[in-house]
């Protein structure tokens, strides 16, 4: 009788672990997995698949960005904005990453309880959310600046924690 209970517990824990792993991306960035019906946006877009694309992402972030009143992000540099990857960058920035304080706080809370190491696309989106929060912090004043700064710090701590975990040998993803 004990071995049946043990087997049942093992199966249950394995199923629970695989369910958490399977749905972990949807929890962090649900918009990446739920495109709007009227849109031709790709499902789960990713920017960096090679070193050149990582460097291009760095260039996008260093370029002057513009945030419109309806919170749409665009690259001011016309040459950079015309690149194919710039379209993916706009898609992720405008449709995937959270832009409100409550959504960013929700993301930070999810990141702090996230088991294992972030997937590449989740790390990338968290970095873009961090960049957005930094930009909004710089543009804000007074109490709003403090709120954005708190969000910025919590995202930074989550990314730092993930990097520390990933640098440890034997830590599963």
């Amino acid at each position: 009788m004990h071995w049946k209970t043990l087997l049942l517990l093992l199966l249950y824990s394995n199923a629970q672990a695989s369910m958490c792993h399977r749905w972990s991306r949807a929890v962090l960035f649900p918009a990446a997995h739920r495109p709007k019906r009227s849109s031709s946006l790709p499902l789960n877009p990713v920017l960096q698949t090679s070193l050149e694309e990582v460097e291009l992402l760095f260039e996008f972030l260093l370029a002057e960005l513009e945030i419109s009143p309806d919170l749409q992000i665009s690259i001011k540099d016309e040459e950079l904005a015309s690149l194919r990857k710039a379209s993916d960058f706009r898609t992720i920035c405008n449709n995937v990453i959270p832009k409100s304080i409550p959504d960013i706080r929700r993301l930070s809370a999810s990141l702090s309880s996230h088991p294992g190491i972030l997937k590449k696309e989740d790390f990338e989106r968290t970095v873009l959310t961090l960049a957005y929060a930094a930009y909004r912090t710089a543009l804000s004043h007074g109490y709003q600046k403090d709120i954005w700064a708190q969000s910025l710090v919590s995202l930074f701590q989550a990314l730092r924690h993930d990097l520390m975990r990933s640098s440890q040998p034997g830590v599963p993803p």
Side-chain angles (χ1 to χ4, degrees):
M1 183 75 165
H2 293 292
W3 67 272
K4 288 181 183 179
T5 307
L6 183 60
L7 182 62
L8 183 63
L9 284 173
L10 182 62
L11 287 174
Y12 175 74
S13 66
N14 187 27
Q16 187 177 16
S18 65
M19 288 295 283
C20 290
H21 180 69
R22 179 178 166 203
W23 294 107
S24 65
R25 285 187 298 186
V27 171
L28 292 177
F29 295 94
H33 302 279
R34 285 183 286 142
K36 296 175 183 159
R37 290 181 191 209
S38 62
S39 140
S40 62
L41 300 175
L43 182 66
N44 197 19
V46 178
L47 282 174
Q48 47 182 337
T49 56
S50 68
L51 182 58
E52 292 81 22
E53 290 175 350
V54 171
E55 292 170 356
L56 189 59
L57 175 60
F58 186 65
E59 282 187 54
F60 289 156
L61 292 174
L62 286 179
E64 191 173 351
L65 298 177
E66 183 175 46
I67 299 178
S68 68
D70 62 346
L71 302 179
Q72 294 296 303
I73 298 171
S74 60
I75 302 169
K76 282 189 175 180
D77 184 324
E78 290 180 18
E79 185 178 339
L80 280 176
S82 67
L83 297 173
R84 184 178 303 148
K85 276 296 179 178
S87 174
D88 291 340
F89 177 78
R90 281 189 302 275
T91 298
I92 292 170
C93 289
N94 293 325
N95 300 313
V96 175
I97 67 168
K99 293 189 200 146
S100 68
I101 292 291
D103 290 341
I104 292 174
R105 285 184 176 166
R106 200 172 298 118
L107 172 64
S108 295
S110 297
L111 288 169
S112 67
S113 64
H114 184 75
I117 300 168
L118 291 175
K119 292 183 177 6
K120 177 177 61 172
E121 59 268 19
D122 291 335
F123 186 84
E124 170 186 283
R125 293 171 187 150
T126 305
V127 167
L128 289 173
T129 306
L130 176 80
Y132 176 78
Y135 195 74
R136 288 297 300 263
T137 302
L139 294 177
S140 299
H141 302 287
Y143 182 68
Q144 285 291 317
K145 189 176 194 94
D146 294 340
I147 292 173
W148 279 106
Q150 289 171 357
S151 296
L152 179 69
V153 168
S154 66
L155 287 170
F156 172 77
Q157 289 172 338
L159 285 171
R160 182 177 172 269
H161 188 273
D162 184 67
L163 288 171
M164 297 294 281
R165 256 188 301 197
S166 66
S167 66
Q168 295 175 352
V171 175

